Amino acid sequence: LEDFAHQNGIPAGTRGERSAALDHGTMLPLLFVNEAYTEYKLVRTGLSGLSVADHYRFGMCIRAAAERLGKKVVLIASGDLSHKVSAEGPYGYADEGVRFDREITQAMASGDFLKFLSFTPEFAEKAAECGLRSCVIMAGAFDGIDVVSELLSYEGTFGVGYGVASFLPKGENPDRRFLEKYLAQEEARMRDIKDNEDDYVKLARYSVEHFVRTGKR
């Protein structure tokens, strides 16, 4: 897996690790897994500040490594949804939090992995989510594959959204190569932003771009 990742420019594995500690996103799923299974080998991965596209590509690397090994693999994408779904919760309430949880659980239920990629960073931050990139990695592992999807549960009892879903592969489908669609979608979004800039913002952007390209003010 580490070699596949580095071939794709992703600093994963021991060469990319910043902390060897196991966080709650790893420990809590293992608590339940170990109640039912013991004869398995575990590969623990984490999230990073890299782009959404890189997390998707990393999921593709996981798939490639699993196929190279010829082993049965279960990928657990762990993390909370929004931390702001109730005013009584520790993080308070935000409309974006409720909307985020509604939209991502709908995407889980329908197997719409492009939706995982399509949340804007601004919206995701206002929703105070922490599990989205786990879902994106998982989506990358299913790149070009049809899935049987099922939303098993959702609750926000303590002001934080918790969703559980399962996805089983059922054959190749070239129309489910979501990275290409996401990149085209992002390109169109950036064009739209530029087209709607006022003159002052446009001047500031041109000034920065000129300096980055030429080193001249």
Side-chain angles (χ1 to χ4, degrees), residues 38-182:
T38 55
E39 298 298 319
Y40 66 87
K41 291 184 178 181
L42 175 73
V43 177
R44 191 265 303 184
T45 66
L47 310 177
S48 76
L50 296 174
S51 68
V52 168
D54 280 337
H55 283 80
Y56 190 94
R57 291 188 186 99
F58 183 57
M60 295 170 69
C61 293
I62 292 174
R63 158 102 163 276
E67 289 177 344
R68 167 86 53 97
L69 292 171
K71 293 181 178 294
K72 290 185 178 180
V73 173
V74 175
L75 196 157
I76 300 175
S78 169
D80 299 334
L81 302 182
S82 171
H83 286 67
K84 292 188 174 183
V85 297
S86 171
E88 289 73 38
Y91 304 95
Y93 172 84
D95 288 340
E96 291 87 354
V98 173
R99 183 179 149 203
F100 176 85
D101 279 16
R102 180 177 64 250
E103 292 184 8
I104 198 169
T105 51
Q106 287 173 350
M108 290 174 177
S110 64
D112 180 9
F113 293 167
L114 180 60
K115 184 66 178 178
F116 297 162
L117 294 157
S118 300
F119 291 106
T120 65
E122 298 80 10
F123 177 72
E125 183 176 357
K126 288 179 180 178
E129 61 77 28
C130 76
L132 178 58
R133 277 174 162 74
S134 289
C135 293
V136 171
I137 293 172
M138 183 272 300
F142 282 108
D143 182 64
I145 298 292
D146 260 331
V147 297
V148 178
S149 57
E150 183 178 5
L151 179 64
L152 300 170
S153 71
Y154 172 79
E155 56 185 314
T157 310
F158 305 105
V160 178
Y162 303 104
V164 181
S166 70
F167 306 96
L168 299 174
K170 65 172 187 177
E172 294 187 8
N173 182 349
D175 193 49
R176 289 181 62 84
R177 300 195 185 282
F178 295 117
L179 183 59
E180 301 164 9
K181 295 181 180 182
Y182 164 72

Side-chain angles (χ1 to χ4, degrees), residues 3-31:
D3 288 338
F4 278 114
H6 280 269
Q7 288 167 16
N8 286 273
I10 302 170
T14 54
R15 284 174 279 180
E17 187 174 60
R18 297 294 179 267
S19 172
L22 295 182
D23 61 15
H24 66 280
T26 301
M27 295 298 292
L28 291 181
L30 284 179
L31 176 68

